[in-house]
Amino acid sequence: MPKPLRDPQPMLERAIADWGGHEDLWLFGYGSLIWRPEFDFIERRPAWVRGWHRALKMWSRVNRGSVQVPGLVFGLLSGGSVRGMVFRVPKAEGLDTLRRLWLREMPTGVYDPKWLRCGTAEGPVRALAFTLSRRSPNFTGELSDDHYRHIFANAVGRYGTSLDYAQQTLAELRRHAIHDAALARLVALASAQEQQEQSAADCGAPQPPVYVPGSADKPSHPSSGPSKENT
């Protein structure tokens, strides 16, 4: 476990105080919370937020990578807009849910938890979201396609690989009719890399023996050059 960037406990206490506990708790999911929330909820709605966007630009040295080979997870960066899901947790379970969510999302205190106005078809709700500052040392900045390919091929953490994380998120977004062109392009990069590696492996594989009529049922291997009969 890497050393925490900040003590997450004061941020948890502040989030609890801002919520107040007098009404149900709303949470905004834009990445793995959509397909693996790990908490009970009584309602889930498609939602959108203006002024923030989903980006696979946060280093992960615990959940989807290691200190030796950092992986990637999503952060909510300022600018643009994003579609995701909001979850309503009963107020009686809100405190326990926040505490367990902090263990999962905030072991190193990297996110900036914020209460955001989320639009839904049934009206706006105020939900807690985990945002990322561009000043954070865990913000990757711009990464090349080759860098993404390397991470997808090598990074693995306590919850699995960075590639699995990206693929599962993309699949769940599509299941909810949420289009994310940037994520689709990154996942396609990894798929193309796998196909290239498989093609290279197939080209280097030994050729199967070939049966030659009249050879007493003994197979022969293809020759790499012209036979003596043709010279």
Side-chain angles (χ1 to χ4, degrees):
M1 177 75 73
K3 182 179 179 181
L5 300 174
R6 296 176 292 183
D7 183 357
Q9 186 61 31
M11 290 186 283
L12 172 58
E13 294 172 357
R14 185 163 57 251
I16 293 171
D18 289 343
W19 166 52
H22 305 300
E23 55 188 21
D24 292 343
L25 171 70
W26 286 94
L27 301 168
F28 178 67
Y30 57 90
S32 62
L33 283 183
I34 299 178
W35 48 268
R36 188 169 60 86
E38 294 185 331
F39 53 80
D40 294 328
F41 54 89
I42 56 177
E43 185 181 2
R44 177 176 62 183
R45 303 179 191 173
W48 59 90
V49 176
R50 301 190 187 283
W52 299 87
H53 70 279
R54 174 176 39 244
L56 196 61
K57 292 184 177 181
M58 189 177 107
W59 294 120
S60 173
R61 297 175 176 85
V62 178
N63 291 349
R64 295 290 172 172
S66 64
V67 174
Q68 294 75 24
V69 184
L72 294 171
V73 292
F74 286 106
L76 200 60
L77 297 175
S78 60
S81 62
V82 61
R83 294 181 63 198
M85 306 292 292
V86 286
F87 302 86
R88 182 158 66 97
V89 178
K91 63 180 180 180
E93 300 174 18
L95 186 59
D96 181 63
T97 297
L98 283 174
R99 287 171 174 164
R100 287 188 288 110
L101 198 56
W102 242 248
L103 293 176
R104 165 178 162 170
E105 302 292 338
M106 294 285 285
T108 63
V110 62
Y111 285 114
D112 292 324
K114 293 183 183 295
W115 295 92
L116 303 179
R117 177 185 172 90
C118 304
T120 78
E122 294 82 0
V125 299
R126 179 175 176 263
L128 182 68
F130 292 97
T131 73
L132 179 67
S133 169
R134 288 180 175 81
R135 295 187 299 272
S136 169
N138 275 33
F139 173 56
T140 67
E142 294 301 317
L143 298 176
S144 68
D145 287 352
D146 284 344
H147 203 159
Y148 274 111
R149 291 189 187 98
H150 174 79
I151 293 167
F152 286 150
N154 296 283
V156 58
R158 66 176 177 177
Y159 292 142
T161 68
S162 293
L163 179 57
D164 285 344
Y165 172 84
Q167 289 174 329
Q168 287 180 293
T169 301
L170 180 63
E172 189 67 6
L173 291 175
R174 286 174 170 171
R175 193 172 77 84
H176 292 286
I178 298 174
H179 180 61
D180 190 319
L183 176 57
R185 190 188 76 82
L186 292 179
V187 171
L189 283 177
S191 298
Q193 178 78 4
E194 290 178 348
Q195 292 174 0
Q196 291 175 0
E197 292 175 353
Q198 185 59 50
S199 296
D202 291 344
C203 290
Q207 295 297 315
V210 177
Y211 172 71
V212 179
S215 60
D217 293 334
K218 293 182 180 180
S220 64
H221 291 272
S223 172
S224 59
S227 65
K228 290 183 178 179
E229 286 80 0
N230 292 333
T231 57

Short mmCIF file of all heavy atoms in Angstrom, two decimals, residues 87-129:
data_model
loop_
_atom_site.label_atom_id
_atom_site.label_comp_id
_atom_site.label_asym_id
_atom_site.label_seq_id
_atom_site.Cartn_x
_atom_site.Cartn_y
_atom_site.Cartn_z
N PHE A 87 -27.32 6.82 -7.50
CA PHE A 87 -27.87 5.78 -6.63
C PHE A 87 -28.43 6.43 -5.37
O PHE A 87 -27.76 7.28 -4.76
CB PHE A 87 -26.79 4.77 -6.24
CG PHE A 87 -26.12 4.09 -7.41
CD1 PHE A 87 -25.04 4.68 -8.06
CD2 PHE A 87 -26.56 2.85 -7.86
CE1 PHE A 87 -24.42 4.06 -9.12
CE2 PHE A 87 -25.95 2.21 -8.93
CZ PHE A 87 -24.88 2.82 -9.56
N ARG A 88 -29.62 6.00 -4.97
CA ARG A 88 -30.21 6.52 -3.74
C ARG A 88 -30.10 5.46 -2.65
O ARG A 88 -30.61 4.35 -2.79
CB ARG A 88 -31.67 6.91 -3.96
CG ARG A 88 -32.34 7.50 -2.72
CD ARG A 88 -33.55 8.35 -3.08
NE ARG A 88 -34.62 7.59 -3.66
CZ ARG A 88 -35.68 7.13 -2.97
NH1 ARG A 88 -35.77 7.36 -1.67
NH2 ARG A 88 -36.64 6.48 -3.59
N VAL A 89 -29.41 5.81 -1.59
CA VAL A 89 -29.18 4.92 -0.45
C VAL A 89 -30.08 5.38 0.70
O VAL A 89 -30.11 6.58 1.01
CB VAL A 89 -27.70 4.96 -0.02
CG1 VAL A 89 -27.47 4.08 1.21
CG2 VAL A 89 -26.79 4.53 -1.17
N PRO A 90 -30.80 4.47 1.33
CA PRO A 90 -31.65 4.88 2.45
C PRO A 90 -30.84 5.57 3.54
O PRO A 90 -29.70 5.20 3.82
CB PRO A 90 -32.23 3.56 2.96
CG PRO A 90 -32.09 2.59 1.84
CD PRO A 90 -30.87 3.02 1.08
N LYS A 91 -31.41 6.61 4.13
CA LYS A 91 -30.67 7.39 5.11
C LYS A 91 -30.19 6.54 6.28
O LYS A 91 -29.12 6.81 6.85
CB LYS A 91 -31.50 8.56 5.62
CG LYS A 91 -32.77 8.19 6.37
CD LYS A 91 -33.51 9.44 6.82
CE LYS A 91 -34.79 9.11 7.57
NZ LYS A 91 -35.51 10.33 8.00
N ALA A 92 -30.92 5.49 6.62
CA ALA A 92 -30.51 4.62 7.72
C ALA A 92 -29.22 3.88 7.41
O ALA A 92 -28.50 3.46 8.32
CB ALA A 92 -31.62 3.63 8.05
N GLU A 93 -28.91 3.71 6.11
CA GLU A 93 -27.71 2.99 5.70
C GLU A 93 -26.64 3.92 5.15
O GLU A 93 -25.56 3.47 4.74
CB GLU A 93 -28.08 1.94 4.64
CG GLU A 93 -29.09 0.91 5.13
CD GLU A 93 -29.54 -0.02 4.02
OE1 GLU A 93 -28.84 -0.08 2.98
OE2 GLU A 93 -30.60 -0.66 4.18
N GLY A 94 -26.92 5.21 5.12
CA GLY A 94 -26.00 6.16 4.50
C GLY A 94 -24.66 6.24 5.18
O GLY A 94 -23.61 6.26 4.52
N LEU A 95 -24.64 6.28 6.49
CA LEU A 95 -23.38 6.42 7.22
C LEU A 95 -22.48 5.22 7.00
O LEU A 95 -21.28 5.37 6.69
CB LEU A 95 -23.66 6.61 8.71
CG LEU A 95 -22.45 6.91 9.61
CD1 LEU A 95 -21.74 8.18 9.14
CD2 LEU A 95 -22.88 7.04 11.06
N ASP A 96 -23.03 4.02 7.11
CA ASP A 96 -22.23 2.81 6.90
C ASP A 96 -21.76 2.73 5.45
O ASP A 96 -20.63 2.32 5.18
CB ASP A 96 -23.05 1.58 7.27
CG ASP A 96 -22.26 0.29 7.08
OD1 ASP A 96 -21.24 0.11 7.77
OD2 ASP A 96 -22.65 -0.53 6.23
N THR A 97 -22.62 3.13 4.52
CA THR A 97 -22.24 3.11 3.10
C THR A 97 -21.07 4.03 2.82
O THR A 97 -20.13 3.67 2.11
CB THR A 97 -23.44 3.50 2.22
OG1 THR A 97 -24.49 2.54 2.40
CG2 THR A 97 -23.06 3.56 0.76
N LEU A 98 -21.10 5.24 3.37
CA LEU A 98 -20.00 6.17 3.16
C LEU A 98 -18.70 5.63 3.74
O LEU A 98 -17.64 5.74 3.11
CB LEU A 98 -20.33 7.52 3.80
CG LEU A 98 -21.31 8.42 3.04
CD1 LEU A 98 -21.65 9.65 3.86
CD2 LEU A 98 -20.73 8.83 1.68
N ARG A 99 -18.75 5.06 4.91
CA ARG A 99 -17.54 4.52 5.52
C ARG A 99 -16.94 3.39 4.69
O ARG A 99 -15.72 3.33 4.50
CB ARG A 99 -17.85 4.03 6.93
CG ARG A 99 -18.07 5.16 7.94
CD ARG A 99 -18.58 4.64 9.26
NE ARG A 99 -18.65 5.71 10.26
CZ ARG A 99 -19.33 5.62 11.40
NH1 ARG A 99 -20.00 4.51 11.69
NH2 ARG A 99 -19.33 6.63 12.26
N ARG A 100 -17.78 2.50 4.18
CA ARG A 100 -17.27 1.40 3.35
C ARG A 100 -16.78 1.91 2.00
O ARG A 100 -15.79 1.41 1.45
CB ARG A 100 -18.35 0.34 3.17
CG ARG A 100 -18.61 -0.48 4.43
CD ARG A 100 -19.53 -1.65 4.21
NE ARG A 100 -20.91 -1.22 4.01
CZ ARG A 100 -21.56 -1.29 2.86
NH1 ARG A 100 -20.95 -1.75 1.77
NH2 ARG A 100 -22.82 -0.91 2.76
N LEU A 101 -17.46 2.92 1.47
CA LEU A 101 -17.04 3.48 0.20
C LEU A 101 -15.68 4.17 0.32
O LEU A 101 -14.87 4.12 -0.61
CB LEU A 101 -18.10 4.48 -0.27
CG LEU A 101 -18.10 4.89 -1.74
CD1 LEU A 101 -18.23 3.67 -2.64
CD2 LEU A 101 -19.23 5.87 -2.01
N TRP A 102 -15.42 4.78 1.47
CA TRP A 102 -14.12 5.42 1.69
C TRP A 102 -12.99 4.39 1.69
O TRP A 102 -11.90 4.66 1.19
CB TRP A 102 -14.14 6.20 3.01
CG TRP A 102 -13.92 7.67 2.82
CD1 TRP A 102 -12.82 8.39 3.22
CD2 TRP A 102 -14.81 8.60 2.20
NE1 TRP A 102 -12.98 9.71 2.88
CE2 TRP A 102 -14.19 9.88 2.25
CE3 TRP A 102 -16.08 8.50 1.60
CZ2 TRP A 102 -14.79 11.02 1.73
CZ3 TRP A 102 -16.67 9.64 1.09
CH2 TRP A 102 -16.03 10.87 1.15
N LEU A 103 -13.24 3.21 2.24
CA LEU A 103 -12.21 2.17 2.24
C LEU A 103 -11.87 1.73 0.83
O LEU A 103 -10.72 1.39 0.53
CB LEU A 103 -12.69 0.96 3.05
CG LEU A 103 -12.88 1.18 4.56
CD1 LEU A 103 -13.46 -0.07 5.21
CD2 LEU A 103 -11.55 1.56 5.22
N ARG A 104 -12.86 1.76 -0.03
CA ARG A 104 -12.65 1.32 -1.42
C ARG A 104 -12.05 2.43 -2.29
O ARG A 104 -11.10 2.19 -3.03
CB ARG A 104 -13.99 0.87 -2.00
CG ARG A 104 -14.00 0.73 -3.53
CD ARG A 104 -15.33 0.24 -4.02
NE ARG A 104 -15.51 0.50 -5.44
CZ ARG A 104 -16.49 0.01 -6.17
NH1 ARG A 104 -17.41 -0.77 -5.61
NH2 ARG A 104 -16.58 0.28 -7.46
N GLU A 105 -12.61 3.63 -2.21
CA GLU A 105 -12.24 4.70 -3.13
C GLU A 105 -11.16 5.64 -2.60
O GLU A 105 -10.49 6.32 -3.37
CB GLU A 105 -13.48 5.53 -3.49
CG GLU A 105 -14.62 4.73 -4.13
CD GLU A 105 -14.26 4.22 -5.51
OE1 GLU A 105 -13.35 4.79 -6.15
OE2 GLU A 105 -14.88 3.24 -5.94
N MET A 106 -11.01 5.70 -1.28
CA MET A 106 -10.14 6.72 -0.70
C MET A 106 -9.04 6.16 0.21
O MET A 106 -8.69 6.79 1.21
CB MET A 106 -11.00 7.70 0.10
CG MET A 106 -11.96 8.51 -0.73
SD MET A 106 -11.15 9.83 -1.64
CE MET A 106 -10.84 10.99 -0.30
N PRO A 107 -8.45 5.01 -0.11
CA PRO A 107 -7.40 4.49 0.78
C PRO A 107 -6.19 5.39 0.86
O PRO A 107 -5.49 5.41 1.89
CB PRO A 107 -7.06 3.12 0.17
CG PRO A 107 -7.42 3.25 -1.27
CD PRO A 107 -8.64 4.12 -1.28
N THR A 108 -5.92 6.16 -0.19
CA THR A 108 -4.77 7.08 -0.18
C THR A 108 -5.21 8.55 -0.20
O THR A 108 -4.37 9.44 -0.33
CB THR A 108 -3.85 6.81 -1.39
OG1 THR A 108 -4.57 7.07 -2.60
CG2 THR A 108 -3.36 5.38 -1.38
N GLY A 109 -6.50 8.80 -0.09
CA GLY A 109 -6.98 10.18 -0.06
C GLY A 109 -6.77 10.95 -1.35
O GLY A 109 -6.61 12.16 -1.33
N VAL A 110 -6.82 10.26 -2.50
CA VAL A 110 -6.45 10.91 -3.75
C VAL A 110 -7.59 11.74 -4.35
O VAL A 110 -7.35 12.79 -4.94
CB VAL A 110 -5.96 9.85 -4.77
CG1 VAL A 110 -7.06 8.85 -5.09
CG2 VAL A 110 -5.46 10.52 -6.05
N TYR A 111 -8.83 11.29 -4.18
CA TYR A 111 -9.95 12.01 -4.77
C TYR A 111 -10.33 13.25 -3.96
O TYR A 111 -10.02 13.33 -2.76
CB TYR A 111 -11.19 11.11 -4.85
CG TYR A 111 -11.16 10.06 -5.93
CD1 TYR A 111 -11.12 8.70 -5.59
CD2 TYR A 111 -11.22 10.40 -7.28
CE1 TYR A 111 -11.13 7.72 -6.57
CE2 TYR A 111 -11.23 9.42 -8.27
CZ TYR A 111 -11.19 8.08 -7.91
OH TYR A 111 -11.20 7.11 -8.88
N ASP A 112 -11.02 14.16 -4.62
CA ASP A 112 -11.66 15.30 -3.95
C ASP A 112 -13.16 15.05 -3.98
O ASP A 112 -13.82 15.31 -5.01
CB ASP A 112 -11.34 16.61 -4.68
CG ASP A 112 -9.87 17.00 -4.57
OD1 ASP A 112 -9.29 16.74 -3.50
OD2 ASP A 112 -9.33 17.54 -5.54
N PRO A 113 -13.74 14.53 -2.92
CA PRO A 113 -15.19 14.29 -2.91
C PRO A 113 -15.95 15.61 -2.99
O PRO A 113 -15.63 16.56 -2.27
CB PRO A 113 -15.43 13.59 -1.57
CG PRO A 113 -14.08 13.07 -1.15
CD PRO A 113 -13.10 14.07 -1.67
N LYS A 114 -16.94 15.68 -3.89
CA LYS A 114 -17.71 16.90 -4.06
C LYS A 114 -19.19 16.55 -4.23
O LYS A 114 -19.52 15.50 -4.80
CB LYS A 114 -17.24 17.70 -5.28
CG LYS A 114 -15.85 18.29 -5.16
CD LYS A 114 -15.50 19.13 -6.37
CE LYS A 114 -14.07 19.66 -6.29
NZ LYS A 114 -13.89 20.60 -5.17
N TRP A 115 -20.04 17.46 -3.76
CA TRP A 115 -21.48 17.32 -3.97
C TRP A 115 -21.83 18.06 -5.25
O TRP A 115 -21.63 19.26 -5.37
CB TRP A 115 -22.25 17.88 -2.78
CG TRP A 115 -21.99 17.10 -1.52
CD1 TRP A 115 -21.04 17.34 -0.58
CD2 TRP A 115 -22.69 15.92 -1.11
NE1 TRP A 115 -21.10 16.39 0.42
CE2 TRP A 115 -22.11 15.51 0.12
CE3 TRP A 115 -23.75 15.18 -1.63
CZ2 TRP A 115 -22.55 14.38 0.80
CZ3 TRP A 115 -24.19 14.05 -0.95
CH2 TRP A 115 -23.59 13.66 0.26
N LEU A 116 -22.35 17.31 -6.23
CA LEU A 116 -22.63 17.87 -7.54
C LEU A 116 -24.12 17.82 -7.85
O LEU A 116 -24.83 16.90 -7.41
CB LEU A 116 -21.87 17.09 -8.63
CG LEU A 116 -20.35 17.01 -8.49
CD1 LEU A 116 -19.76 16.19 -9.62
CD2 LEU A 116 -19.72 18.39 -8.43
N ARG A 117 -24.54 18.77 -8.62
CA ARG A 117 -25.93 18.78 -9.10
C ARG A 117 -26.01 17.84 -10.30
O ARG A 117 -25.34 18.07 -11.32
CB ARG A 117 -26.35 20.19 -9.49
CG ARG A 117 -27.77 20.31 -10.07
CD ARG A 117 -28.03 21.74 -10.52
NE ARG A 117 -29.28 21.86 -11.25
CZ ARG A 117 -30.45 22.12 -10.70
NH1 ARG A 117 -30.53 22.29 -9.38
NH2 ARG A 117 -31.55 22.24 -11.43
N CYS A 118 -26.82 16.82 -10.19
CA CYS A 118 -26.95 15.81 -11.24
C CYS A 118 -28.34 15.87 -11.84
O CYS A 118 -29.35 15.81 -11.12
CB CYS A 118 -26.72 14.40 -10.67
SG CYS A 118 -25.13 14.19 -9.83
N GLY A 119 -28.41 16.00 -13.15
CA GLY A 119 -29.69 16.01 -13.82
C GLY A 119 -30.21 14.60 -14.04
O GLY A 119 -29.44 13.70 -14.38
N THR A 120 -31.50 14.40 -13.84
CA THR A 120 -32.15 13.12 -14.14
C THR A 120 -33.50 13.42 -14.79
O THR A 120 -34.02 14.54 -14.71
CB THR A 120 -32.37 12.26 -12.88
OG1 THR A 120 -33.51 12.74 -12.15
CG2 THR A 120 -31.14 12.25 -11.99
N ALA A 121 -34.10 12.40 -15.39
CA ALA A 121 -35.40 12.59 -16.03
C ALA A 121 -36.47 12.96 -15.01
O ALA A 121 -37.47 13.61 -15.35
CB ALA A 121 -35.80 11.31 -16.77
N GLU A 122 -36.27 12.56 -13.76
CA GLU A 122 -37.24 12.84 -12.71
C GLU A 122 -36.95 14.15 -11.98
O GLU A 122 -37.65 14.51 -11.04
CB GLU A 122 -37.29 11.70 -11.69
CG GLU A 122 -37.80 10.38 -12.25
CD GLU A 122 -36.72 9.59 -12.98
OE1 GLU A 122 -35.57 10.08 -13.05
OE2 GLU A 122 -37.04 8.50 -13.48
N GLY A 123 -35.89 14.85 -12.37
CA GLY A 123 -35.52 16.09 -11.72
C GLY A 123 -34.12 16.01 -11.16
O GLY A 123 -33.53 14.93 -11.03
N PRO A 124 -33.52 17.16 -10.81
CA PRO A 124 -32.14 17.17 -10.32
C PRO A 124 -32.02 16.61 -8.91
O PRO A 124 -32.95 16.69 -8.11
CB PRO A 124 -31.78 18.66 -10.36
CG PRO A 124 -33.08 19.36 -10.19
CD PRO A 124 -34.09 18.52 -10.89
N VAL A 125 -30.84 16.03 -8.63
CA VAL A 125 -30.53 15.56 -7.28
C VAL A 125 -29.12 16.03 -6.93
O VAL A 125 -28.30 16.29 -7.82
CB VAL A 125 -30.61 14.01 -7.15
CG1 VAL A 125 -32.01 13.53 -7.45
CG2 VAL A 125 -29.59 13.33 -8.05
N ARG A 126 -28.84 16.14 -5.66
CA ARG A 126 -27.51 16.51 -5.17
C ARG A 126 -26.81 15.23 -4.73
O ARG A 126 -27.25 14.56 -3.79
CB ARG A 126 -27.64 17.48 -4.00
CG ARG A 126 -26.33 17.93 -3.37
CD ARG A 126 -26.62 18.98 -2.29
NE ARG A 126 -25.42 19.39 -1.57
CZ ARG A 126 -25.04 18.90 -0.40
NH1 ARG A 126 -25.78 17.96 0.19
NH2 ARG A 126 -23.95 19.34 0.20
N ALA A 127 -25.74 14.87 -5.43
CA ALA A 127 -25.09 13.59 -5.18
C ALA A 127 -23.60 13.77 -4.94
O ALA A 127 -22.96 14.69 -5.47
CB ALA A 127 -25.30 12.65 -6.37
N LEU A 128 -23.04 12.87 -4.15
CA LEU A 128 -21.61 12.89 -3.87
C LEU A 128 -20.87 12.19 -5.00
O LEU A 128 -21.24 11.10 -5.45
CB LEU A 128 -21.32 12.16 -2.55
CG LEU A 128 -19.86 12.16 -2.10
CD1 LEU A 128 -19.41 13.56 -1.73
CD2 LEU A 128 -19.66 11.20 -0.92
N ALA A 129 -19.80 12.83 -5.49
CA ALA A 129 -18.99 12.27 -6.56
C ALA A 129 -17.52 12.40 -6.19
O ALA A 129 -17.12 13.31 -5.46
CB ALA A 129 -19.27 12.99 -7.88
#
